[in-house]
Amino acid sequence: CRINNRITLLPPNTTARQREIITSLPQSIDDRATETVTEALQEMLSTKPELTVPVLDALSNLDLDERALDEVRDQVLEGLDA
């Protein structure tokens, strides 16, 4: 899947390139990939704090279902408490 290829490209790239890839995801995926991309972005929120802004931007541009939106919101709020 093209989306999985983009996500797996993230680790070796520079932070600037990672930001570009992340912010382009909402325009590059179809609805079938939203769940996979959301999960990958949520993992990045936990593991790559330097990418928080582009990850949140990408998540805000995805059509998330209510459950995914609640999970993301909870994760962000937990991160703010830390």
Side-chain angles (χ1 to χ4, degrees):
C1 176
R2 191 175 80 180
I3 298 308
N4 285 336
N5 290 340
R6 282 187 182 205
I7 291 171
T8 56
L9 286 175
L10 289 175
N13 286 303
T14 65
T15 301
R17 182 69 180 130
Q18 290 173 339
R19 286 183 181 126
E20 288 178 37
I21 293 169
I22 291 166
T23 56
S24 74
L25 286 172
Q27 296 84 18
S28 305
I29 66 168
D30 61 26
D31 290 338
R32 294 173 296 182
T34 299
E35 185 176 341
T36 302
V37 170
T38 300
E39 290 170 2
L41 292 172
Q42 284 181 276
E43 184 176 329
M44 285 181 217
L45 276 177
S46 300
T47 60
K48 297 189 168 273
E50 69 276 14
L51 296 174
T52 298
V53 172
V55 167
L56 291 176
D57 183 50
L59 286 167
S60 72
N61 287 300
L62 291 173
D63 187 22
L64 302 179
D65 62 36
E66 190 172 329
R67 178 198 54 80
L69 187 58
D70 287 342
E71 286 178 13
V72 169
R73 185 181 310 115
D74 291 346
Q75 183 177 4
V76 169
L77 291 174
E78 286 174 18
L80 292 174
D81 286 340

